[in-house]
Amino acid sequence: MLSKLVERLVAQQLTSYLRLWNLLPELQSAYRTNHSTETAVLRVLSDILCALDRGDFALLTLLDLSAAFDSVDHATLLSRLEISYGIGGTVLDWFKLYLHGRQQSVRCTNSKSTLSAILYGVPQGSVLGPILFLLYTADLLKLVQNKGLIPHLLTYTPMTPRYMVHALQIALLLSRTK
């Protein structure tokens, strides 16, 4: 499909640009070589264990962002792309066209609803969706750091091996026993 090919090309260009100018959040593992969900989980587990060894309190808060891609405000995302990441001109115009003008309907058996405009969210199943969501939420990490907390950004997908979830459960159990 031509649209997926174009998305892949844009995603490659965007991630190359973000890497070149060191614009990806420091704790983000996706789209980086030698980083993965496994290394992110190991870092979280290590930080929790080190905190407990020092006698500090460790608390792990997990956020369910399963429907979060649907909540992305297009105007805010476009503003962040321009202001935070220096994306402007024709490239920003392309992202505007990519996000705007989408419609959806619901089909149930033989009935179909009327089309309605999609004002929020990144396209489901898109190549660019995860990258755009990352850029949309990147300032959240800065906010957490400004409050004196140590943030970690883990992206859980159904493809994540089960042992990583167990590592987080072990870390939680250890933090409760002290």
Side-chain angles (χ1 to χ4, degrees):
M1 185 175 245
L2 184 61
S3 61
K4 289 286 186 189
L5 177 63
V6 171
E7 273 194 73
R8 281 191 186 94
L9 292 171
V10 172
Q12 286 175 349
Q13 290 293 314
L14 181 59
T15 54
S16 294
Y17 169 81
L18 294 169
R19 276 192 220 113
L20 176 68
W21 296 103
N22 200 28
L23 295 172
L24 285 169
E26 181 183 331
L27 296 175
Q28 174 60 34
S29 292
Y31 317 111
R32 292 186 164 184
T33 54
N34 302 319
H35 287 75
S36 65
T37 308
E38 290 94 343
T39 58
V41 169
L42 289 173
R43 181 171 176 175
V44 170
L45 182 59
S46 174
D47 285 353
I48 289 172
L49 294 174
C50 287
L52 294 175
D53 285 346
R54 290 189 309 267
D56 291 343
F57 181 75
L59 175 68
L60 178 62
T61 303
L62 302 173
L63 303 174
D64 178 8
L65 299 175
S66 56
F69 280 32
D70 296 332
S71 65
V72 172
D73 180 272
H74 294 168
T76 303
L77 173 60
L78 292 167
S79 175
R80 289 214 175 116
L81 289 175
E82 185 173 21
I83 294 168
S84 300
Y85 300 101
I87 295 171
T90 307
V91 177
L92 188 63
D93 289 341
W94 186 90
F95 279 109
K96 286 178 188 173
L97 290 172
Y98 175 77
L99 294 170
H100 293 300
R102 292 180 178 270
Q103 297 180 321
Q104 67 181 2
S105 67
V106 177
R107 177 174 287 208
C108 182
T109 58
N110 293 333
S111 300
K112 183 179 175 185
S113 69
T114 58
L115 288 173
S116 61
I118 300 174
L119 304 175
Y120 297 93
V122 291
Q124 296 292 321
S126 66
V127 176
L128 285 169
I131 303 167
L132 293 175
F133 182 75
L134 163 69
L135 299 178
Y136 181 76
T137 58
D139 290 341
L140 181 60
L141 290 175
K142 294 175 191 167
L143 177 66
V144 170
Q145 287 172 321
N146 289 341
K147 297 298 178 185
L149 301 172
I150 302 170
H152 290 282
L153 188 60
L154 293 176
T155 306
Y156 177 81
T157 64
M159 301 298 286
T160 304
R162 189 171 298 283
Y163 75 86
M164 284 185 257
V165 176
H166 292 305
L168 287 173
Q169 291 169 341
I170 291 167
L172 280 170
L173 180 64
L174 289 171
S175 67
R176 286 189 209 143
T177 58
K178 278 222 166 195

